[in-house]
Amino acid sequence: MDQHRFLEITQLSISFPKSPLPVLHDVDLQIARGEYVAVIGHSGCGKSTLLNVIAGLLPASGGGVVLDGREIAGPGPDRAVVFQNHSLLPWLTCYENIRLAVDQTLSKTMSRAERHDWVLENLAMVRMTSAKDKRPAEISGGMKQRIGIARALAMRPKVLLMDEPFGALDALTRAHLQDQVMEIHASRGTTVVMITHDVDEAVLLADRIVMLTNGPNATVGEVLEVKLPRPRDRLALAADPAFTAARAAVLEFLHARHANPALAAA
Ligand code: ADP
Ligand code: MG
């Protein structure tokens, strides 16, 4: 199959009952295997709705999504989701949270011993080995997100879907997790669709930035290719003209051409 059409969104529209206008309309997007795509747009424009349709948690009203040649009709283990607030089970340890997901998705392909080793490998990937026997209440917010990411990737999804995964974290923790996610993306080659409203985060992490227009009835306004070489170093990039130019282009889209409607009305 065409590698550029690993994840293909075609003429997607999404409406909710009782709303006169669709949330999103005519969304077309083709994502290649291994690509890191960030979706950015003002609050309420439909970012989470779009991600939920890709996840299979919401039905499309028109058009559709095809992943690796198969139309998405519901949730499945080929798509793992990381939300802003962790969804770890509080009564299980970090190890057990990941182990449960691995047992549910890989018990046919891996032996017990292999699944055990695979959980440990994923704990090590997010540098959480030493906290493996702790429960979610005993670790920090950043650590919980790292376990959530490890759990998602331990399921070997075809696509990792993240909805503002670092949005609830302080700036230093966020930077640390962004760096880890870049490392993981490089080492595992996972295809990622990440929702964000953070311009710097989008430019630092993504191969392409999909900018949504304002809702209701939003759609893809512009797609920016971020041609910065990897691995990317946040300190070096801060002074890199290509980084500054990409950042300026996204800011211009969001604040000059598609200003936040909530602020504009105030
Ligand atoms: P974003 O993630 O970009 O902030 P959302 O995708 O959460 O935006 O929401 C987009 C729009 O869809 C909002 O106007 C929101 O009120 C509406 N919406 C989201 N979920 C539902 C739902 N289940 N029923 C009705 N309207 C919804
Ligand atoms: Mg949202």
Side-chain angles (χ1 to χ4, degrees), residues 36 82 125-127 145-146 149-150 153 160 162 165-166 174-190 192 194 201 205 230 234:
Y36 198 122
V82 175
M125 175 187 73
V126 293
R127 303 205 189 99
Q145 284 308 74
R146 279 150 67 187
I149 291 166
L153 288 174
L160 175 65
M162 299 199 283
F166 318 124
R174 191 185 315 148
H176 180 63
L177 260 73
Q178 288 165 346
D179 290 344
Q180 275 199 345
V181 163
M182 279 195 283
E183 271 180 50
I184 292 166
H185 175 246
S187 63
R188 293 259 172 113
T190 314
V192 182
M194 178 187 74
E201 175 170 286
L205 297 182
R230 295 181 186 273
R234 68 175 60 249

Side-chain angles (χ1 to χ4, degrees), residues 8-89:
E8 191 167 19
I9 302 171
T10 310
Q11 286 293 298
L12 184 71
S13 70
I14 306 161
S15 304
F16 289 110
K18 295 184 205 153
S19 305
L21 285 171
V23 174
L24 290 162
H25 75 96
D26 294 326
V27 175
D28 282 299
L29 198 58
Q30 278 148 19
I31 295 172
R33 195 191 289 268
E35 197 177 6
Y36 198 122
V37 170
V39 178
I40 199 164
H42 289 293
S43 179
C45 74
K47 302 182 295 296
S48 296
T49 303
L50 176 62
L51 198 87
N52 286 336
V53 170
I54 302 173
L57 300 169
L58 267 179
S61 313
V65 184
V66 173
L67 173 60
D68 201 10
R70 291 178 66 170
E71 172 113 39
I72 287 168
D78 55 348
R79 284 149 290 140
V81 193
V82 175
F83 295 103
Q84 178 169 339
N85 293 308
H86 80 92
S87 51
L88 303 176
L89 297 173

